[in-house]
Amino acid sequence: MRKHPVRKFLGLTVLYAAIIVGIFVLQFKSESIISKAIGSLHISIAQTESDTNVTELKNQFKVTFKGISFSADDENPVVAKTSENSAGEKLVLKSFDETSLSASFTFNDGTVLTFHTSKADSDGELSVSARISDKFSSIEVPYKLSGNLTSEKLSKSHALLTAKKGFFMLTAHDILDDTVQLTKKDSVAMFVTYDPSKRFSYSTVVGLEETSRASFDAEARRARDKFLSETEAILKTSAADSLSESAVTAYVAEMASRDRYNEAIDSVPESLRRENHRTYVSAPFFNTLAVMNRSLVVQTEQYSSMTASAVTSKNLDIFNIDGISDFIIREKKKSRITNLLSFPAQMADFKPTVVQAAGILNVYADLYKNDASVAALLEPVLAKCLDSIAQACSLENDAVKINNNGAALSVRQTIEVGNALAKYGDVSSKNEYAQTGYLIMNKALAAGLNVETAASVYHILAESNFYYPHTQILGYYGNTAVWAWTCARNISYRIDAENIVNIDIDFPQGLTNHIIFNGVPTFHGKIEIQGQMFKTDPRFETYNSSGYVYQTSAQTLLLKSRHKSSKETVRLFCDPTDSFSN
């Protein structure tokens, strides 16, 4: 052998190579990689085969899209967190599913992470959505950028990515150095093509003048002053009868907020108080509750009909109907509301108009304040709604212009779009949306509103003015809501052990308001008002005192509440009922 060192070296090299290859073959003969491609979306998942020929996924996947990759394995897993546990818990991949445009990964706790491309070609854009299990409030997903992408973080939730051939925008609840964070209420990340010359970005508005809540409050106050003075002037002329119920209602509410409640009611001509000129809207001010309640019943029936129709026809206009949020909250425990809030995410081609997108954002914000679990049904489409509005916007001379497919929005629609963005920004704690919304509204208000337009958006201008008639949810008997149509500051509904219902009404002393209560169980005429037992009387509104009528079949209590003190208590001695919950 000494005479043939080269032969010896080659022999040993072949032997060692064979051993090494053998080891690798033995170690990895049961492992494989699943690869999928959907346009620019590429997915790879590792799987292994056991000795019993059962194939299982390994805790390892990678999703790449135009230079960004999301991946996880045992060393860099998807991490789920709660507000109490900042360290979090490592999630383990359990199953994988796919559609023609998406790939979904389900983890051991039930969390589902879905990657969806808008098109099955290279023009598609990427959304990453999370359905987080009840156990956690947020997840963090590892990501990396390829060498041809550079990143500039514009805000907590926005990063501008630059490539040789263009720009991309990455958005998520929070963008960290190597992970993106998604939460239950902000559950979608987006990776989209960005054209700085054409595409509007909410982050470009941040810090401009007239983007604060304080600036909006000042503009709203000026608009309310102008509305009040112009309405007062009209009421003194023969043109008074031309005022709408909406304008009269807003006028009384504004006067009341300035301690001129009785003066406002007395200044409204009798012709505008007649039943044929009014609906339930102004009932808290001008009585005739039994007649006005009929229009409230009709309106409720219309909401039910429109809801069913919208679900069937997939009509997104339902989210722009006045009062639809209140109806949804009243009916939230019923399956038809689940169907209503679920259908936008189920649409094969969800493309809301600017107005429809604003309507969905507005309803989401209203629901989130009442019940975040109900609002969550709309979360899968929120990013697209925001994007639809952004695509219609441009920033010109420090003002946001909105192009509604070539047509101009009305002043009311413009304010409603701004309000929806502001409300969503507030509930999601995303300042760029709130500031954009306030800027849109401030510019519209600065141009001036006529009386009827101001009345139509009065609930936005005077959000905290309780005198403006509104729905107040008092609780639920099973799936049925107890609610009031009122102008009271607050109403509470509590039940004593002996099925005695205590209704506390907060309204300024010396003033009278009329309230329609729905969902109140029968009390057989046993009712106590201001410490005295009262009898029903159809003429109750004509007396200079409190009074009531109860409509048994509809479970509706019509109440005149004349306040001897700021808080009046009405006690109902009801039959035993199903459990009540707030």
Side-chain angles (χ1 to χ4, degrees):
M1 291 293 288
R2 293 178 182 176
K3 296 180 180 179
H4 304 284
V6 175
R7 183 184 302 173
K8 179 180 180 181
F9 173 77
L10 291 175
L12 289 174
T13 299
V14 171
L15 176 63
Y16 292 152
I19 293 172
I20 292 172
V21 170
I23 292 173
F24 273 90
V25 168
L26 288 173
Q27 182 175 355
F28 296 109
K29 68 177 182 178
S30 60
E31 294 187 0
S32 60
I33 299 295
I34 301 173
S35 295
K36 305 280 184 179
I38 307 171
S40 297
L41 184 65
H42 297 268
I43 305 111
S44 62
I45 315 152
Q47 64 179 6
T48 183
E49 185 176 314
S50 68
D51 294 337
T52 57
N53 296 322
V54 176
T55 301
E56 295 180 350
L57 293 181
K58 294 186 67 177
N59 186 33
Q60 180 181 330
F61 73 86
K62 185 175 183 180
V63 178
T64 60
F65 185 86
K66 297 182 180 180
I68 189 171
S69 63
F70 298 87
S71 61
D73 53 32
D74 290 331
E75 293 185 2
N76 295 288
V78 174
V79 176
K81 296 183 177 181
T82 65
S83 55
E84 295 80 20
N85 181 9
S86 59
E89 181 176 315
K90 297 179 180 180
L91 299 187
V92 178
L93 181 63
K94 287 298 180 183
S95 64
F96 164 75
D97 192 18
E98 62 178 309
T99 69
S100 59
L101 293 175
S102 67
S104 295
F105 301 87
T106 301
F107 297 88
N108 57 311
D109 70 325
T111 291
V112 179
L113 188 62
T114 299
F115 297 84
H116 182 276
T117 179
S118 59
K119 296 180 180 179
D121 57 33
S122 60
D123 292 331
E125 297 185 335
L126 177 68
S127 67
V128 184
S129 62
R131 189 169 74 243
I132 301 172
S133 69
D134 294 339
K135 185 178 177 181
F136 300 105
S137 57
S138 67
I139 64 169
E140 292 182 1
V141 184
Y143 82 97
K144 290 182 180 179
L145 302 178
S146 66
N148 67 336
L149 280 178
T150 58
S151 176
E152 177 188 356
K153 193 167 183 179
L154 301 177
S155 68
K156 171 186 174 183
S157 57
H158 287 70
L160 178 64
L161 308 179
T162 304
K164 292 181 179 180
K165 296 183 179 181
F167 301 89
F168 299 94
M169 185 68 72
L170 174 63
T171 62
H173 176 76
D174 197 358
I175 301 173
L176 306 174
D177 289 339
D178 53 7
T179 62
V180 294
Q181 184 185 64
L182 304 174
T183 68
K184 281 188 174 178
K185 70 176 181 180
D186 194 11
S187 59
V188 179
M190 298 290 292
F191 183 81
V192 297
T193 304
Y194 176 73
D195 185 344
S197 65
K198 297 180 180 179
R199 193 179 182 97
F200 171 82
S201 172
Y202 294 103
S203 60
T204 60
V205 171
V206 175
L208 296 179
E209 292 184 7
E210 300 183 82
T211 58
S212 67
R213 174 74 200 205
S215 63
F216 169 71
D217 288 341
E219 283 290 354
R221 183 67 185 189
R222 283 190 283 270
R224 290 164 62 186
D225 289 342
K226 179 176 179 289
F227 165 75
L228 185 58
S229 62
E230 291 181 353
T231 306
E232 283 185 301
I234 293 172
L235 286 170
K236 295 175 182 177
T237 70
S238 59
D241 287 352
S242 67
L243 288 172
S244 67
E245 182 185 23
S246 174
V248 171
T249 303
Y251 163 74
V252 175
E254 182 60 29
M255 288 281 281
S257 72
R258 304 179 188 218
D259 297 324
R260 299 170 66 187
Y261 182 82
N262 287 336
E263 179 187 346
I265 291 176
D266 292 341
S267 65
V268 175
E270 185 62 33
S271 59
L272 292 177
R273 300 194 210 180
R274 292 177 188 151
E275 295 171 359
N276 61 333
H277 280 93
R278 294 174 42 234
T279 67
Y280 71 93
V281 172
S282 58
F285 301 143
F286 300 122
N287 62 46
T288 60
L289 291 182
V291 177
M292 296 301 102
N293 184 52
R294 295 172 196 163
S295 65
L296 180 55
V297 171
V298 170
Q299 180 65 70
T300 301
E301 292 173 347
Q302 288 178 342
Y303 284 138
S304 297
S305 176
M306 289 187 291
T307 296
S309 177
V311 172
T312 302
S313 63
K314 301 295 186 288
N315 187 351
L316 298 173
D317 290 336
I318 186 68
F319 296 101
N320 296 102
I321 302 297
D322 287 342
I324 194 64
S325 291
D326 288 340
F327 175 75
I328 292 172
I329 294 170
R330 297 198 305 257
E331 301 289 301
K332 70 178 184 178
K333 294 177 178 287
K334 299 179 180 177
S335 59
R336 62 183 173 188
I337 296 305
T338 300
N339 295 336
L340 173 66
L341 299 179
S342 299
F343 89 74
Q346 297 167 354
M347 295 174 66
D349 191 20
F350 177 74
K351 292 182 179 179
T353 65
V354 172
V355 174
Q356 290 170 340
I360 292 172
L361 292 175
N362 183 67
V363 169
Y364 173 82
D366 289 338
L367 299 185
Y368 185 82
K369 295 174 185 177
N370 176 268
D371 190 333
S373 65
V374 176
L377 294 171
L378 288 173
E379 286 178 357
V381 299
L382 297 183
K384 186 62 178 178
C385 288
L386 293 164
D387 191 54
S388 293
I389 296 174
Q391 289 181 28
C393 292
S394 61
L395 187 63
E396 302 174 20
N397 299 320
D398 291 346
V400 177
K401 305 295 184 182
I402 304 176
N403 178 6
N404 184 33
N405 291 327
L409 294 178
S410 68
V411 176
R412 174 180 177 174
Q413 288 174 324
T414 300
I415 292 173
E416 288 173 341
V417 170
N419 183 55
L421 287 171
K423 288 169 66 175
Y424 175 74
D426 289 341
V427 300
S428 65
S429 300
K430 289 193 171 182
N431 205 32
E432 63 268 29
Y433 301 127
Q435 290 196 27
T436 301
Y438 290 134
L439 180 60
I440 290 171
M441 289 192 288
N442 284 336
K443 295 297 185 182
L445 294 177
L449 309 179
N450 61 37
V451 165
E452 291 299 337
T453 300
S456 70
V457 297
Y458 183 81
H459 62 288
I460 297 173
L461 302 178
E463 182 183 11
S464 60
N465 183 6
F466 64 84
Y467 285 104
Y468 191 71
H470 57 276
T471 293
Q472 181 165 354
I473 308 296
L474 306 177
Y476 298 84
Y477 286 106
N479 291 337
T480 302
V482 181
W483 57 282
W485 181 253
T486 182
C487 64
R489 183 193 307 273
N490 185 54
I491 301 175
S492 65
Y493 190 98
R494 52 194 171 84
I495 302 177
D496 289 344
E498 298 178 353
N499 294 298
I500 299 174
V501 174
N502 298 272
I503 303 175
D504 297 319
I505 305 167
D506 188 352
F507 197 68
Q509 182 178 352
L511 301 183
T512 299
N513 72 104
H514 304 77
I515 308 171
I516 300 173
F517 289 96
N518 285 276
V520 177
T522 182
F523 48 90
H524 304 292
K526 293 182 289 185
I527 180 172
E528 182 182 287
I529 304 174
Q530 296 172 340
Q532 297 182 2
M533 299 301 291
F534 267 65
K535 293 183 178 181
T536 185
D537 187 335
R539 299 169 298 172
F540 72 101
E541 292 170 298
T542 65
Y543 303 131
N544 190 28
S545 66
S546 296
Y548 83 99
V549 159
Y550 180 72
Q551 299 174 343
T552 304
S553 60
Q555 291 192 320
T556 300
L557 172 63
L558 309 176
L559 178 72
K560 177 182 179 181
S561 182
R562 186 173 183 272
H563 283 248
K564 293 181 179 179
S565 61
S566 60
K567 182 173 287 187
E568 297 285 0
T569 298
V570 175
R571 305 182 77 208
L572 311 176
F573 300 84
C574 300
D575 293 338
T577 59
D578 295 334
S579 59
F580 177 81
S581 64
N582 295 110

